[in-house]
Structures are given as structure tokens and as C-alpha cells.
Amino acid sequence: MILHIFWLLLGLGLILVGANVLTDGASAIARRFGLSDLVVGLTVVAFGTSAPELAISILSAISGSAPLAIGNVVGSNIFNILMIIGITAIVSPIVIERSVMSLEIPMVILSSVVLLMLGNSGIIDGTGINIVSRLSGLFLLLLFLLFMRYTFASAKNPEVASATDEPAVKSMNIWRAILYVIIGLAALIWGGDRFVDGASGIASGLGVSEAVIGLTIVAAGTSLPELATSIVAAVKGKPGMAVGNVIGSNIFNVLMVLGASAVITPLPFGSIGNLDLLTLLAASVAFWLFGWLFKTRTITRIEGALLVAGYVAYILALLL
């Protein structure tokens, strides 16, 4: 148990350091190539911080632990919206670009709807077995490629690229910036892996089921890179990267992570049910609605607190 606690703390430290280094490097690269922080958050940072989910879900699929693979994706996405957006907004209210409200966040909602349909596929096709088939996995990967095509196309749009008056980024040599990104990603991935090992060991010692571990401990652990990166980005005055990181990670998790895992082997949902899938959909819709309520295109501190409260309520419902 002491060793698991050590790995937990070591992983957390690496995640925090990696998030800071990654944010600096990614921002410098964004400025060098004329890309907005939002686009970098949707691509480089989102992919890097979702690497733990990708590795764990694929390894879980290969080893036959489908509930852990799906639970990791569903739990991570719920954590990303309710906890990461919530905590980040509490630290600093998040101003969201108009294009994000009309395009990117609806894509998050769409991915949640697709996941809900897959989670009830047994009812839809009459087999009674809810499963992400290989064909469904290929469909998810196709949607992912279409989203990436849109993202890079929007990066060339001067209106989107200059949608916000973004703060100056400290000057950095391109090779140094790339090194920062590599070091940051390495620290995030290895730190996330150490954290999950420690947390899973502690949870297993307490007799918690695999599905619950996937939805809570593993999901929160693999989402810590997103949490650290978004908070650091918000504190440094880069709301575009903070929001883009969460949106990109959620879309990446459902379309790429789950799609790739299902192509390797079909994934039955098992005990992952509508409580979890509807919570994810509700969180996605709340994220979009909060952007329009009270203060237009801004997630306020009060709204952030409501999102965090929603996650606490979900965990209590899950455990009870």
C-alpha cells in the first residue's frame, strides 16, 4: 500500500510539471506557425494528454477487460467536462470563442449521443447485447478523421485564427519548443501511468470492482493531464487552449480511443449503463448551455461550481 501511495504522489508531481512545460512549448509552436491556442489545444495538447486513455483502453481491449476500456473513456469524458471545466472556471472564468459554441461543443454533444446509442445497441438491433462492434469502431474512426479535417481547415481561416486577442507568448527557439513538448508529453504520460498504477493498486486493495475503477480512479487519473494543462493554461491567460484541450480530448476519447479499441476487438459495455452515458450527455449539454447563460460565451465561477457539484453527485450515485 505504501508503494502504491508513493507512485500516486510521484505521478501527480510529474503530471503538474509536464503540464506546465507542455503549455509553454505548445504555445510557442502555435505562434511560430501562426496557429491559435484553440487549434493547438484541439490537436497537439489534446492528443498528448489523451495518450494515457489511448494506451489503457487499447491494452484493456487486448487483455479482454472491456468494462475498463469503456469505463475509462466514459469516466474520463465526464471528469473532463464537470471537473476540469468546472475547476478551471473557478480558478479563472473561461471566455469561449463563438466558433467553439457553434461547432466544437456541439461535436462533443454529438459524440456523447453516438456513445449513448452504442450503449443501447442491444435494444436498437434487438440482440439484447450492448456492444461497440468492429464496424462501429470503424465508423467512429471515420468521424474522427472528418473532425480533424475540419480542425486543420479552420486553422487556415484567418477569422478563426484571430477570433480572440491572445496574450503574448515568451519567445522560444523552435527546437527548444519542440523539446519542451516532448518532455512535457513524456512527463504527462509516464506520470499518468504511475498515478493510475498507484490509484488502481489502492482501489483493488479496497475491493472495488473493475467497472467502478474504470469510471472513477482510472478515469480521473488519466484525466489529470487534461486537468493540470487546462488550469495552467487558464492561469497563464490562454482560455482557448484550456477549452480546446478538453473538447479535443473528449472527441479524441470517443472517436479515436474507443474506435481504435473496438477495431482491435469488439467491446461489450457490461455494467457501464445509462446512468453513466446519460450523465455524460447531460454534462455535454450543460457545458454548451452554460456558455450562453448569465454571461454570454463565458463559463463563470458559479457555473464552474455547479459543474463540480454535478460530478460529486454522479460519484455518490455511482457508489450508492
Side-chain angles (χ1 to χ4, degrees), residues 134-155:
R134 283 193 173 91
L135 184 60
S136 297
L138 288 172
F139 175 69
L140 292 176
L141 290 177
L142 176 61
L143 287 178
F144 175 73
L145 291 176
L146 291 174
F147 172 72
M148 291 311 302
R149 186 175 184 277
Y150 154 75
T151 299
F152 284 107
S154 67

Side-chain angles (χ1 to χ4, degrees), residues 27 45 54 82 116 141 174 178 186-187 189 194 229 237 241 262 318:
S27 296
V45 180
L54 180 61
L82 297 182
L116 178 63
L141 290 177
I174 185 63
I178 293 173
I189 294 168
R194 293 298 87 199
T229 301
M241 185 175 290
L318 191 66

Side-chain angles (χ1 to χ4, degrees), residues 98-120:
R98 184 174 298 277
S99 63
V100 174
M101 291 298 301
S102 60
L103 296 171
E104 276 86 3
I105 296 180
M107 186 65 184
V108 173
I109 296 174
L110 176 61
S111 68
S112 300
V113 171
V114 170
L115 196 53
L116 178 63
M117 292 176 65
L118 291 174
N120 290 277

Side-chain angles (χ1 to χ4, degrees), residues 23-105:
T23 301
D24 286 342
S27 296
I29 292 175
R31 297 283 73 78
R32 176 73 64 172
F33 289 98
L35 299 177
S36 68
D37 282 339
L38 172 65
V39 173
V40 174
L42 283 168
T43 55
V44 178
V45 180
F47 292 1
T49 55
S50 287
E53 283 94 337
L54 180 61
I56 288 173
S57 290
I58 288 180
L59 290 173
S60 298
I62 293 173
S63 64
S65 300
L68 184 59
I70 296 178
N72 178 33
V73 168
V74 176
S76 291
N77 281 15
I78 292 172
F79 187 91
N80 284 352
I81 295 175
L82 297 182
M83 287 296 284
I84 296 180
I85 293 296
I87 293 175
T88 303
I90 291 173
V91 172
S92 177
I94 304 171
V95 179
I96 305 175
E97 296 179 16
R98 184 174 298 277
S99 63
V100 174
M101 291 298 301
S102 60
L103 296 171
E104 276 86 3
I105 296 180

Side-chain angles (χ1 to χ4, degrees), residues 22-319:
L22 175 64
T23 301
D24 286 342
S27 296
I29 292 175
R31 297 283 73 78
R32 176 73 64 172
F33 289 98
L35 299 177
S36 68
D37 282 339
L38 172 65
V39 173
V40 174
L42 283 168
T43 55
V44 178
V45 180
F47 292 1
T49 55
S50 287
E53 283 94 337
L54 180 61
I56 288 173
S57 290
I58 288 180
L59 290 173
S60 298
I62 293 173
S63 64
S65 300
L68 184 59
I70 296 178
N72 178 33
V73 168
V74 176
S76 291
N77 281 15
I78 292 172
F79 187 91
N80 284 352
I81 295 175
L82 297 182
M83 287 296 284
I84 296 180
I85 293 296
I87 293 175
T88 303
I90 291 173
V91 172
S92 177
I94 304 171
V95 179
I96 305 175
E97 296 179 16
R98 184 174 298 277
S99 63
V100 174
M101 291 298 301
S102 60
L103 296 171
E104 276 86 3
I105 296 180
M107 186 65 184
V108 173
I109 296 174
L110 176 61
S111 68
S112 300
V113 171
V114 170
L115 196 53
L116 178 63
M117 292 176 65
L118 291 174
N120 290 277
S121 59
I123 299 175
I124 296 173
D125 60 21
T127 62
I129 302 175
N130 301 322
I131 190 171
V132 185
S133 65
R134 283 193 173 91
L135 184 60
S136 297
L138 288 172
F139 175 69
L140 292 176
L141 290 177
L142 176 61
L143 287 178
F144 175 73
L145 291 176
L146 291 174
F147 172 72
M148 291 311 302
R149 186 175 184 277
Y150 154 75
T151 299
F152 284 107
S154 67
K156 299 176 183 178
N157 185 339
E159 293 183 3
V160 174
S162 59
T164 56
D165 183 18
E166 296 172 63
V169 177
K170 64 180 180 181
S171 179
M172 187 182 300
N173 177 278
I174 185 63
W175 295 111
R176 183 184 176 190
I178 293 173
L179 180 63
Y180 268 45
V181 170
I182 293 173
I183 292 174
L185 289 178
L188 284 169
I189 294 168
W190 196 71
D193 184 58
R194 293 298 87 199
F195 180 92
V196 171
D197 281 349
S200 296
I202 294 171
S204 297
L206 297 175
V208 180
S209 72
E210 187 178 77
V212 172
I213 289 176
L215 286 165
T216 56
I217 302 297
V218 176
T222 55
S223 288
L224 277 180
E226 285 94 332
L227 175 61
T229 301
S230 291
I231 290 178
V232 169
V235 170
K236 291 186 175 183
K238 301 177 178 62
M241 185 175 290
V243 174
N245 175 37
V246 168
I247 293 173
S249 293
N250 274 31
I251 294 172
F252 184 89
N253 285 346
V254 174
L255 303 185
M256 176 61 182
V257 174
L258 206 56
S261 300
V263 167
I264 293 173
T265 180
L267 302 174
F269 275 77
S271 59
I272 309 298
N274 282 332
L275 168 64
D276 314 299
L277 300 176
L278 288 172
T279 297
L280 175 56
L281 179 58
S284 302
V285 173
F287 181 22
W288 184 75
L289 287 178
F290 281 0
W292 294 115
L293 298 175
F294 300 113
K295 192 174 180 181
T296 304
R297 294 194 295 109
T298 300
I299 306 296
T300 65
R301 286 190 169 91
I302 293 177
E303 290 168 333
L306 289 174
L307 291 175
V308 173
Y311 186 77
V312 173
Y314 164 69
I315 293 298
L316 289 176
L318 191 66
L319 296 177

